[in-house]
Amino acid sequence: MRQKRRIFEVNGIVQGVGFRPFAYRLASSLGLRGFVRNETSCVRIDVEGDEGALETFAARLISDAPPLARISGISAEDANPAGAAGFAVENSSGEGGGAPAVPPDAATCDECLRELRDPGDRRFGYPFINCTDCGPRYTIIKGVPYDRPLTTMSAFGMCDRCSREYHDPADRRFHAQPNACPDCGPKVFLAGGDGLEKASPDPVSEAAGALARGLVVAVKGIGGFHLACDAESEEAVGRLRLRKRREEKPFALMARDMAAVRRVAEASEAEERLVSSPARPIVLLAKKPRSRLAGLIAPGNRFLGVMLPYSPLHHLLLARGPEILVMTSGNMSDEPIEFANADALERLRGIADLFLLNDRDIETPADDSIARIAAGRAVLSRRSRGYVPSPVRMPFEGPSVLAVGADLKNTVCVTRGGHAFLSHHLGDLENQRALEAFETASRRLARLVGAEAGVVAHDMHPGYASTRFALSLEGVENIAVQHHHAHVASVMAENGLDGEVLGVALDGTGYGPDGTVWGGEFLAAGYGGFRRVARLRQVRMPGADAAARQGWRMAMSHVIDALGPGGLAAAPRLAPDSRSESVVAAMIGRGFNAPLTSSMGRLFDAAAAICGVASVSTFEGQAAMALEGAADGPAGDPYPFAIMEEAGLLVADTRPAVAAMVDDVAKGAAVPAVSRRFHGTAAAIVVRTCEMLGKRLGLDRVALSGGCFQNAILLEACVAGLSKAGFAVYTHCLVPPNDGGVSLGQAAVAAASALEAGKGR
């Protein structure tokens, strides 16, 4: 048979996922010779042998790839046979260009779980069991290519038995970089609530027992610390709320298995697949009535955030302790997650009664990701552990860009070539520790991607900490990107769209170039620019930022706008007292400290207050979540609204809807029906406005983005209505619709701008 040689470069998430041992076994089974090795940006396979076997090898590289591999491209080049004697896995090389793809952390696989639970296995009960199909990746990586010396596992030398596994091509731990066992790997240990190390023959069992007794335990996991307690203990949950200073924001849960999940929540097949996926996100599920869960877990909320164990340590805790635990981020409210032992012992002292620690360092912290199923697909509201740093393939190649995101739900993004790499969730840039974490993440991500960004994209808002950081950098070109343009560009980028689309960006707040607060925007947009073509009617935002926390202020503003100052008498009591009502009414009337806003998010806040489900929010989005949770029954006819022409823009006049809603509530209409009808009205405004704009502008593609589209009722109604109207509808799946996806849009706009400027020179 004819002998040939072919050199493959495989790009994507192909390092740290068992691709080299897979290639070795595949080549050996086909009688092929050569080598495979990691390079900086790819896996290189140099293989020769029978021509037919080479063709089979090329096809099976894709069809039989390891479960965690995500191949973005394969190039192949024929060469003269070199006379290789066998097939080998070579040491990694720093050669190669392009963008490397670092793998995300992956939940413990079934084979490792079997060993974890087998008393006859040498890794029985070992909290750090892993293989090429599972375990920590992104959180332990210091650099690329992904090899043990460039991870935090470099501190642990493999014993003889682990080393034999690591070097045996027939073993599933062949070149598994975090490979370890009880003899040579990381160890767990305890510290008391005073921070002092505590001797224990079995730290995991002792921690599980403490949880069963109602104590709060700080647990060091893959991406950082959790604060855990028994989810069925009202006393334990209340104690954790008090100590953490977290008044009402729901706590996440970790359940032993899907059977435990089903006992407390409703889960469709799609939701069960998402909960059980290797990323193991927190998934929002509808509560079941009359469960034994503590009421303080998610007060006033009909949804639970539930995840399954994703590390062997979690599996052991839940097997030996309560079957459902509160598992919330280990931090003080508004601060970054703790991930270093010393910092956790200092900053979580007074919250945790016991610390379950380990000596494997975390290089990059990562909160749990949060998702839900809406409009038939997974929608992320927080993209972090399990997803990051999987790249988003851009619709074009441009210069390297650093995009610094917004100030809330911050992420940063670095582009290289045709890929965009988003950081883990960094949170709100409200304090110095959050800013330090943001700056560290910006540098670390650029280093992992291997990009030196000469262009830095930022929000137009001059007061954002992220904007100030961008403007402080020297030797770079700064490009300001309008907030809602970035939202639309983000959904375009993740869906591979080019040209111009009709973008609908609905959120709480965004800096408008006209000096008003935007948030209910319709844009004719592409990467190169945008035109604002429609918006919601503007109302006053009394107290500015205070109105975002106190929805009753926005309710007063919308009611006065719809019915006049005397209209407050027709509405239910909105302000907490008569003096507050008088002061806020005066602010609205005079326009003092009351900027104009077109925000859909603030309209949701107003509706929640009018319905009586939430007048004040202790965390962002609380009122809108309460309003969605209250909605029930058929959509019914939408409340009336009008669409008018104003200074060249279409303006959706919400006054008739607000007036009708106030009338319904005054007449004693059921809140679930009022809320459901309001949601239908918001969707009808979007659909009708797009229909008018589509005809006017000749656009038949609609891109939906912004934090309001985390609302499943709104998203599903908009997708259904727009699709029925003949539009191709594009939504988020790879990045969040909220500000966690803004950095991707900023990067796409800035890269396109820099690319265009380069062409013009």
Side-chain angles (χ1 to χ4, degrees):
M1 298 293 288
R2 185 181 176 193
Q3 299 291 295
K4 293 189 70 175
R5 177 185 174 203
R6 192 166 296 166
I7 301 170
F8 296 89
E9 284 192 2
V10 188
N11 292 284
I13 300 176
V14 289
Q15 295 187 21
V17 294
F19 205 90
R20 286 181 297 168
F22 155 69
Y24 176 97
R25 289 190 289 270
L26 179 59
S28 299
S29 71
L30 295 170
L32 298 172
R33 305 173 303 281
F35 68 85
V36 59
R37 71 172 177 234
N38 281 346
E39 294 189 350
T40 299
S41 62
C42 66
V43 169
R44 178 180 289 270
I45 309 170
D46 190 324
V47 63
E48 60 184 85
D50 177 75
E51 183 176 14
L54 274 178
E55 295 301 324
T56 300
F57 180 83
R60 290 178 62 186
L61 270 183
I62 298 174
S63 64
D64 297 356
L68 298 182
R70 297 292 181 269
I71 297 173
S72 62
I74 297 181
S75 65
E77 179 183 344
D78 288 335
N80 293 325
F87 198 89
V89 177
E90 291 194 348
N91 291 331
S92 298
S93 163
E95 297 176 4
V102 174
D105 306 289
T108 311
C109 70
D110 290 342
E111 277 298 297
C112 283
L113 278 179
R114 183 186 60 76
E115 294 173 346
L116 183 74
R117 295 163 177 164
D118 180 3
D121 193 277
R122 73 187 188 94
R123 290 186 174 88
F124 172 62
Y126 183 54
F128 303 96
I129 191 170
N130 69 87
C131 69
T132 53
D133 291 338
C134 68
R137 300 292 195 272
Y138 174 66
T139 51
I140 63 171
I141 289 172
K142 295 180 177 180
V144 291
Y146 173 59
D147 278 315
R148 194 177 182 105
L150 291 175
T151 74
T152 60
M153 286 298 295
S154 62
F156 304 94
M158 283 184 282
C159 66
D160 288 344
R161 285 190 290 181
C162 285
S163 183
R164 283 196 296 271
E165 292 169 336
Y166 183 85
H167 291 99
D168 179 3
D171 196 288
R172 81 174 196 283
R173 293 189 170 91
F174 182 48
H175 283 259
Q177 305 308 333
N179 190 32
C181 75
D183 293 333
C184 64
K187 304 286 192 297
V188 292
F189 56 98
L190 292 176
D194 57 5
L196 299 177
E197 192 166 335
K198 186 175 184 291
S200 173
D202 189 349
V204 177
S205 291
E206 187 167 337
L211 290 164
R213 295 195 305 275
L215 300 184
V216 175
V217 180
V219 181
K220 185 181 180 183
I222 285 179
F225 278 82
H226 285 108
L227 290 165
C229 70
D230 182 357
E232 293 184 1
S233 169
E234 202 77 54
E235 182 181 351
V237 177
R239 190 183 307 119
L240 178 55
R241 279 209 178 276
L242 183 64
R243 292 177 182 179
K244 191 173 162 138
R245 292 182 237 161
R246 186 163 169 169
E247 298 174 41
E248 296 174 293
K249 190 174 183 180
F251 281 142
L253 301 176
M254 183 177 280
R256 182 179 296 166
D257 49 30
M258 275 308 307
V261 173
R262 295 185 195 107
R263 281 192 277 275
V264 298
E266 306 285 352
S268 66
E269 287 186 17
E271 288 167 334
E272 289 199 11
R273 284 195 300 272
L274 183 58
V275 171
S276 305
S277 68
R280 287 291 199 277
I282 298 167
V283 179
L284 299 185
L285 302 173
K287 284 181 186 177
K288 274 190 174 175
R290 295 179 298 279
S291 79
R292 292 185 298 175
L293 292 177
L296 287 173
I297 285 170
N301 196 313
R302 55 184 281 240
F303 297 100
L304 296 171
V306 187
M307 60 182 156
L308 290 175
Y310 53 83
S311 79
L313 178 62
H314 294 140
H315 282 282
L316 293 171
L317 272 179
L318 284 153
R320 300 174 187 180
E323 71 169 9
I324 302 182
L325 297 173
V326 168
M327 197 69 81
T328 188
S329 296
N331 57 359
M332 291 296 292
S333 294
D334 301 324
E335 290 194 353
I337 188 171
E338 300 299 341
F339 65 99
N341 289 346
D343 289 340
L345 288 170
E346 177 186 348
R347 303 190 71 83
L348 301 182
R349 190 178 303 178
I351 303 178
D353 299 303
L354 188 69
F355 291 81
L356 182 58
L357 306 161
N358 67 70
D359 56 0
R360 183 177 67 196
D361 288 343
I362 296 169
E363 177 69 12
T364 304
D367 286 276
D368 297 313
S369 298
I370 304 175
R372 73 186 307 180
I373 296 294
R377 64 195 311 199
V379 178
L380 291 162
S381 56
R382 186 164 79 194
R383 183 179 187 267
S384 204
R385 180 203 44 80
Y387 293 92
V388 171
S390 297
V392 176
R393 192 172 185 87
M394 302 274 278
F396 59 88
E397 291 196 17
S400 289
V401 173
L402 167 64
V404 298
D407 264 20
L408 297 180
K409 296 180 171 63
N410 180 269
T411 61
V412 298
C413 177
V414 175
T415 66
R416 181 169 176 176
H419 293 85
F421 300 83
L422 276 75
S423 73
H424 54 287
H425 166 81
L426 296 169
D428 301 347
L429 306 184
E430 294 183 342
N431 57 57
Q432 187 58 38
R433 295 191 77 231
L435 286 172
E436 290 169 359
F438 157 78
E439 294 183 15
T440 299
S442 300
R443 293 191 297 270
R444 183 176 287 149
L445 184 62
R447 186 177 72 247
L448 281 181
V449 172
E452 293 185 14
V455 177
V456 177
H458 59 85
D459 197 276
M460 281 185 171
H461 198 305
Y464 276 3
S466 53
T467 299
R468 294 195 298 271
F469 170 77
L471 296 177
S472 74
L473 299 176
E474 297 180 354
V476 298
E477 177 188 358
N478 290 111
I479 296 179
V481 183
Q482 199 278 329
H483 189 82
H484 299 94
H485 184 202
H487 269 307
V488 175
S490 70
V491 75
M492 290 181 66
E494 77 159 84
N495 283 282
L497 305 181
D498 55 14
E500 191 174 61
V501 302
L502 183 53
V504 183
L506 307 181
D507 63 4
T509 301
Y511 184 81
D514 61 356
T516 66
V517 179
W518 289 17
E521 312 308 316
F522 297 78
L523 311 177
Y527 302 112
F530 74 95
R531 292 168 290 139
R532 189 190 200 192
V533 290
R535 59 167 170 78
L536 295 188
R537 175 180 169 81
Q538 294 175 322
V539 299
R540 293 288 174 184
M541 194 172 166
D545 289 346
R549 298 185 297 272
Q550 300 174 344
W552 61 267
R553 292 173 180 255
M554 290 308 307
M556 282 185 60
S557 187
H558 274 283
V559 168
I560 289 172
D561 185 54
L563 299 171
L568 291 176
R573 166 68 74 174
L574 299 172
D577 52 64
S578 57
R579 183 178 181 280
S580 298
E581 179 179 291
S582 177
V583 169
V584 169
M587 293 169 73
I588 294 168
R590 297 170 187 166
F592 173 72
N593 192 25
L596 290 169
T597 183
S598 54
S599 168
M600 178 67 85
R602 299 290 81 84
L603 178 60
F604 266 79
D605 291 346
I610 291 168
C611 287
V613 297
S615 293
V616 176
S617 296
T618 60
F619 60 91
E620 192 197 10
Q622 181 178 2
M625 289 169 60
L627 191 66
E628 180 187 4
D632 198 15
D637 293 330
Y639 286 118
F641 62 89
I643 298 179
M644 307 177 297
E645 186 97 24
E646 186 177 304
L649 293 177
L650 292 183
V651 176
D653 186 353
T654 56
R655 289 177 295 181
V658 171
M661 185 164 51
V662 167
D663 187 55
D664 266 0
V665 172
K667 290 177 178 176
V671 168
V674 175
S675 175
R676 187 66 184 84
R677 194 175 176 192
F678 171 79
H679 280 81
T681 306
I685 289 171
V686 169
V687 173
R688 181 61 188 137
T689 305
C690 286
E691 286 178 321
M692 296 173 68
L693 290 171
K695 293 176 183 177
R696 177 179 294 190
L697 303 174
L699 297 174
D700 60 2
R701 298 181 299 170
V702 176
L704 305 177
S705 190
C708 290
F709 287 113
Q710 295 172 107
N711 183 309
I713 299 174
L714 177 65
L715 178 64
E716 290 169 353
C718 286
V719 169
L722 290 166
S723 299
K724 185 177 180 181
F727 289 100
V729 187
Y730 298 91
T731 61
H732 286 284
C733 183
L734 302 179
V735 303
N738 60 36
D739 284 4
V742 159
S743 63
L744 173 62
Q746 290 174 343
V749 170
S753 175
L755 193 62
E756 189 61 31
K759 289 177 182 176
R761 285 196 285 269

